[in-house]
Amino acid sequence: MPSGGARAADDMNAVAERYAHLVLALGQHDPDYVDAFYGPPEWKTQAEKEKKSLDAIGAEAAELSATLNQDRPSPQSSRKGRGGREALASKTSDAEKSGEEMLRLRREYLQKQISALAARVRMLKGEKLKFDDESRALYDAVAPTYGDSHYDQIIAQLEAKIPGKGPLWQRYEEWRKPFVIPKEKLDKVFQLAIKECRARTEAHVALPPNESFTVEYVTNKPWGGYNWYKGNFHSVIQVNTDLPIYIDRAVDLAAHEGYPGHHVYNTLLEKNLVRDRGWPEFSVYALFSPQSLIAEGTANFGREVAFPTKAERMKFEKEVLFPAAGIDASRADEYYVVQDLMKQLDYAANEAARRLVNGEIDESAAAQWLQKYAVMEPARAQQRVKFIKRYRSYVINYNLGEDMVRCYIEKRSGTDPEKRWSEFGKLLSSPRLPSGLTN
Ligand SMILES: [Zn+2]
């Protein structure tokens, strides 16, 4: 153990445990807040019994944050006690360095998670934040704003791919009908995608032997898919079948919700941070917190980690998924050229959310905006508006999160797929925050 670490770790564990209790307390006021909890069940019972007021939770968060600031170690005190032969010293120094970095990241993580919790308390008490202020307070990041012309030039390219009369969303809906996965084949296609993504992940990341998840098909939800982490390396993944599901969703869903996305992230946090290190703050997952940008960003980027080149993914899609879904594989390239353009419109959905949350447009104008700039059919635009109403600036965690994670990983690994896996695995097992991705 690095010198001077024991007491610091004990102090930090005490703060971390109080933080976990506070998250559970806030969950009593906000049913979406506690996304996962697998710590001692009596902590939850205690939160239910105590039912602390928002004021009390806010006051405790402020106190906890002050305690954490007070305990900040001085830069000199944490670097004592090196010695021995040169080789040994340099080894110790590496271990010390990484140990110190983990402690520094942990402290920063707790500080930002607590401050996001305090912001959520203020929101629940009625404080209205502007979209960017809210995303900074809750997710430690602000999404860039693009003007209409940015989207116009992407849309012009889509227009050229799908020519004809009527609004583009309508033509797009018509055009992509042949790529719907028939309902009765959905599970088979998803299971094939999951199997492939799992095999690819397992070849590079050490997963606990008993990790597993189940897939359920549900309806009437504002989201398309959800990973509910249950602890003990188990997840329940739900897929919303309200709207038609297209072939690109198979790999997306398998990688995002499963391997190497949410399921692997939660599993590695439980294994490395909760069990091996005994850090209680990771046994609870506060949805409206910086951790969500890391979670969604790594989950979205997971597809590129599992399939380091588009050629590799296309091969699997054409040889396995398209045939299993009964979809003409000879049109796969054409389909994905359009999907790649559609992906560039992701920030348009952020823009709709920003304007709606800021009160610049109403729900029907937001749906119109999504139809035009995100090329969504009315039902999908409605579903997205529902999502924005419920989760607000959370929307940035997906695309901005993905871009930030990509930038962070590529800076460290270039295009070397092995290095990419190792950096990705490290990120999934550390308490790094969104603002720490830009270092
Ligand atoms: Zn997700």
Side-chain angles (χ1 to χ4, degrees):
M1 169 165 308
S3 57
R7 212 188 84 83
D10 282 351
D11 290 349
M12 202 102 87
N13 277 345
V15 170
E17 196 174 314
R18 288 178 63 196
Y19 158 77
H21 280 287
L22 270 189
V23 171
L24 295 173
L26 189 49
Q28 294 300 307
H29 297 268
D30 178 354
D32 288 328
Y33 192 65
V34 182
D35 194 69
F37 174 64
Y38 51 88
E42 56 274 20
W43 290 11
K44 199 166 169 245
T45 328
Q46 190 188 334
E48 285 160 4
K49 249 197 245 152
E50 285 178 353
K51 213 169 186 326
K52 281 185 184 158
S53 70
L54 288 171
D55 285 337
I57 296 169
E60 264 191 61
E63 194 196 312
L64 208 51
S65 174
T67 309
L68 202 55
N69 261 336
Q70 261 169 24
D71 289 348
R72 189 185 295 272
S74 65
Q76 299 93 328
S77 70
S78 54
R79 277 200 162 267
K80 281 183 297 190
R82 275 198 224 141
R85 283 178 301 161
E86 190 125 322
L88 194 65
S90 101
K91 247 189 193 167
T92 314
S93 141
D94 274 356
E96 259 189 33
K97 233 171 96 186
S98 87
E100 275 170 24
E101 194 191 19
M102 280 300 266
L103 281 182
R104 179 181 64 79
L105 289 176
R106 184 187 191 196
R107 176 181 298 278
E108 284 170 8
Y109 174 89
L110 278 168
Q111 194 61 272
K112 285 253 164 89
Q113 292 287 119
I114 293 166
S115 110
L117 180 142
R120 187 68 188 168
V121 168
R122 293 197 301 276
M123 286 171 68
L124 290 169
K125 283 171 70 182
E127 188 175 311
K128 296 262 179 291
L129 292 175
K130 289 280 186 193
F131 186 85
D132 289 343
D133 295 331
E134 181 187 303
S135 79
R136 190 183 294 109
L138 296 183
Y139 309 116
D140 192 30
V142 174
T145 306
Y146 295 110
D148 295 5
S149 62
H150 169 80
Y151 304 112
D152 285 335
Q153 55 94 12
I154 302 162
I155 285 167
Q157 294 177 63
L158 279 164
E159 291 273 3
K161 298 276 177 218
I162 313 167
K165 287 203 183 76
L168 180 58
W169 65 259
Q170 210 164 43
R171 270 178 280 148
Y172 176 58
E173 278 310 304
E174 243 345 273
W175 174 85
R176 69 169 175 162
K177 270 190 184 146
F179 302 98
V180 172
I181 307 172
K183 264 204 170 148
E184 70 279 6
K185 294 186 171 143
L186 209 50
D187 192 54
K188 186 174 112 193
V189 174
F190 278 158
Q191 293 300 343
L192 285 167
I194 289 165
K195 195 174 154 214
E196 180 71 13
C197 288
R198 184 174 194 273
R200 285 169 174 268
T201 303
E202 223 180 11
H204 303 275
V205 179
L207 297 172
N210 58 336
E211 60 80 21
S212 69
F213 64 73
T214 46
V215 181
E216 294 174 0
Y217 298 90
V218 298
T219 53
N220 203 20
K221 303 287 177 196
W223 36 257
Y226 214 114
N227 177 305
W228 304 99
Y229 191 66
K230 302 294 181 188
N232 206 17
F233 311 131
H234 184 71
S235 298
V236 172
I237 292 173
Q238 291 187 323
V239 182
N240 181 3
T241 58
D242 283 342
L243 297 172
I245 295 178
Y246 297 85
I247 190 67
D248 56 292
R249 279 288 285 148
V251 167
D252 265 355
L253 188 109
H256 183 105
E257 310 291 351
Y259 306 98
H262 292 323
H263 174 67
V264 172
Y265 175 58
N266 286 303
T267 293
L268 292 182
L269 289 180
E270 181 175 1
K271 166 78 180 65
N272 295 311
L273 302 188
V274 178
R275 296 196 183 199
D276 292 355
R277 288 180 186 263
W279 291 0
E281 67 271 38
F282 284 93
S283 65
V284 70
Y285 178 174
L287 189 67
F288 305 111
S289 77
Q291 197 189 352
S292 279
L293 185 136
I294 303 290
E296 301 297 359
T298 50
N300 263 13
F301 185 59
R303 189 180 75 160
E304 283 176 46
V305 181
F307 294 92
T309 64
K310 192 176 170 189
E312 240 177 278
R313 198 186 86 233
M314 291 308 294
K315 188 171 183 289
F316 172 66
E317 299 252 11
K318 286 178 194 172
E319 288 176 3
V320 180
L321 296 185
F322 275 65
I327 300 171
D328 179 5
S330 72
R331 292 191 67 195
D333 290 318
E334 177 197 351
Y335 181 69
Y336 278 105
V337 166
V338 170
Q339 290 311 306
D340 289 348
L341 283 169
M342 287 296 298
K343 198 167 162 51
Q344 292 183 41
L345 292 176
D346 281 353
Y347 280 89
N350 287 1
E351 201 48 45
R354 179 183 275 122
R355 293 178 190 194
L356 183 61
V357 166
N358 287 351
E360 293 160 22
I361 53 174
D362 63 11
E363 282 179 43
S364 96
Q368 293 289 330
W369 166 273
L370 288 167
Q371 280 179 51
K372 181 169 180 200
Y373 287 102
V375 194
M376 285 180 183
E377 56 146 330
R380 210 166 281 274
Q382 287 302 339
Q383 192 190 56
R384 189 59 65 90
V385 168
K386 268 196 209 155
F387 186 95
I388 295 168
K389 293 282 286 178
R390 180 142 158 199
Y391 299 106
R392 300 169 58 92
S393 63
Y394 191 92
V395 292
I396 72 154
N397 293 330
Y398 300 96
N399 54 329
L400 179 65
E402 178 179 350
D403 287 346
M404 288 171 72
V405 167
R406 178 183 296 107
C407 202
Y408 175 84
I409 299 287
E410 283 182 351
K411 211 161 91 186
R412 278 154 184 78
S413 62
T415 50
D416 177 350
E418 276 305 322
K419 190 97 182 35
R420 183 190 285 215
W421 271 111
S422 77
E423 288 297 333
F424 190 74
K426 262 195 264 173
L427 179 59
L428 293 189
S429 312
S430 75
R432 192 171 290 277
L433 285 163
S435 52
L437 290 176
T438 49
N439 295 338

